[in-house]
Amino acid sequence: MVSDEFLTSLSFSAVIRSVGHNLHLDYLLESLRNQSLPPAEIIIVLPYGVPAWDTPVPNTRFIHSPRGMVTQRAVGIKEARFRYLLLLDDDIVFRDVEAVKRLFSEMFRYNAVLALPYSPEAFPQGKRRLIYALFGMAVPTSKRYLGYTAGGGFYYPRNPSFERPYEVEGGYGRCIAADRDFLVKNSVFGDPDLERIPYALRDDGAFVLDVVRHGGKAILVGNVPYDHLGGARKLSPQRLLSSYEASVFNNYVFWRKYIKGRYRMQIVPTIAFGWHLTGISLFAMLSCLRHKSVYPLLGVVRGFSRMVLEWCGGKR
């Protein structure tokens, strides 16, 4: 059991990757300041050329890096002053002043390197559950270990219960408590191949899985509530295009680098991944009807084109 005295004295760095000043980020900073366990420093990582701004939140500093979700997080990890980190996107807000304290408490209690909070929106809901499971994109399970399918999809709790955390190989990176010493020692900073398209997809999963592959434990914990303010953002045509392009290409990169090699008989993951792509194509067509736009289908075509070029290049 982790003592309250130890947690109260804990110093950690909050690392926030952002593309610039916005109202959601202001809400996040205020949320961090109000935590019972506030960060000893807050690092906001911005792309080169994006100006910093005045903030009333103490111990906040700005650093710059090349643009990219993976790159910006990596720079923040390297620049942090403290061993323990809270890695954040810039569009979440904690609903509970004890949230951060609980997250770190579970991380220490179960000797984990990473701790991620459970969020229902991270998993399929309603009728989508059946479709996702059919194509192996997201499959419900009663097991306490949440890994990846042969096609690069993931398992998620059928009936979530948090009497103890789930061990995981992946997850959303909006909020992650982390042990910086482990990350630096094993050079776990994320995979830059997954930010070649300007839409974040599978980069968080690769980050978590890389920790597990190096012998670290990652856990999914309950009772750390937060709101994802960016979840209601309307998708622009360009974002629709990039999201479906990444749905094909980033999934291919992730599957090829992290999943395929787990299997002795390569035909098994290859068929599973092809079926996964079939599901993505179906969702793209449904999205075209929903948004009355051809951009999802164009994104899939671009993703397949990139995938074929990548595959041909790897054969040389």
Side-chain angles (χ1 to χ4, degrees):
M1 196 71 180
V2 183
S3 71
D4 192 68
E5 182 181 356
F6 171 78
L7 285 172
T8 303
S9 64
L10 180 71
S11 294
F12 70 93
S13 302
V15 176
I16 305 170
R17 51 188 183 182
S18 179
V19 294
H21 188 209
N22 62 79
L23 192 58
H24 293 168
L25 179 51
D26 286 341
Y27 290 150
L28 170 58
L29 293 174
E30 187 64 23
S31 172
L32 287 171
R33 183 161 67 170
N34 292 333
Q35 288 293 303
S36 63
L37 180 62
E41 72 165 347
I42 298 173
I43 300 172
I44 300 176
V45 188
L46 300 169
Y48 287 127
V50 176
W53 59 91
D54 293 329
T55 173
V57 181
N59 303 319
T60 299
R61 61 190 176 105
F62 296 87
I63 59 177
H64 288 84
S65 84
R67 181 183 292 265
M69 299 290 275
V70 174
T71 300
Q72 287 175 239
R73 173 185 283 163
V75 170
I77 291 171
K78 293 172 184 177
E79 290 289 330
R81 294 171 178 158
F82 297 98
R83 173 175 178 178
Y84 297 107
L85 307 174
L86 188 64
L87 306 173
L88 298 164
D89 286 351
D90 68 353
D91 59 355
I92 74 163
V93 171
F94 295 105
R95 283 193 254 135
D96 187 328
V97 296
E98 297 290 322
V100 171
K101 190 174 183 179
R102 286 196 208 100
L103 187 62
F104 276 110
S105 176
E106 293 293 273
M107 175 178 157
F108 295 132
R109 181 182 178 188
Y110 289 95
N111 297 313
V113 173
L114 301 180
L116 298 82
Y118 170 74
S119 174
E121 71 168 78
F123 305 117
Q125 303 295 321
K127 296 178 181 178
R128 281 176 168 255
R129 290 170 66 113
L130 179 61
I131 301 174
Y132 272 79
L134 175 64
F135 290 101
M137 301 164 72
V139 181
T141 180
S142 299
K143 296 180 180 179
R144 304 295 303 184
Y145 188 90
L146 306 177
Y148 286 103
T149 69
F154 59 87
Y155 290 97
Y156 67 94
R158 185 186 304 277
N159 297 300
S161 61
F162 288 96
E163 64 275 2
R164 69 182 190 278
Y166 291 86
E167 285 195 49
V168 296
E169 290 185 342
Y172 278 92
R174 300 165 189 154
C175 173
I176 305 177
D179 182 340
R180 180 181 180 275
D181 283 2
F182 182 96
L183 302 180
V184 172
K185 178 183 177 181
N186 294 285
S187 297
V188 177
F189 300 114
D191 190 339
D193 281 347
L194 292 167
E195 63 179 8
R196 286 151 63 182
I197 294 173
Y199 185 90
L201 187 70
R202 304 314 295 258
D203 55 310
D204 296 327
F207 177 71
V208 176
L209 182 54
D210 207 15
V211 165
V212 175
R213 295 202 307 178
H214 280 88
K217 180 193 290 185
I219 59 174
L220 181 70
V221 306
N223 202 22
V224 183
Y226 69 86
D227 291 320
H228 179 216
L229 303 180
R233 186 182 305 157
K234 185 177 180 181
L235 291 176
S236 66
Q238 182 57 48
R239 195 165 175 80
L240 274 173
L241 180 72
S242 296
S243 68
Y244 277 96
E245 183 180 5
S247 291
V248 174
F249 182 71
N250 284 21
N251 270 303
Y252 168 70
V253 171
F254 178 81
W255 171 80
R256 176 177 56 81
K257 295 181 72 171
Y258 298 94
I259 304 300
K260 184 181 178 184
R262 291 177 160 189
Y263 294 84
R264 183 178 299 176
M265 294 182 63
Q266 296 290 288
I267 189 66
V268 173
T270 302
I271 291 174
F273 180 65
W275 189 235
H276 187 154
L277 290 182
T278 303
I280 291 172
S281 301
L282 174 62
F283 272 108
M285 288 186 282
L286 294 174
S287 185
C288 286
L289 296 175
R290 179 186 172 192
H291 295 281
K292 297 179 180 178
S293 169
V294 298
Y295 281 99
L297 203 52
L298 289 177
V300 166
V301 171
R302 284 177 51 164
F304 272 106
S305 298
R306 276 181 175 264
M307 186 184 77
V308 171
L309 288 173
E310 185 87 359
W311 182 79
C312 290
K315 288 288 185 180
R316 293 191 188 118

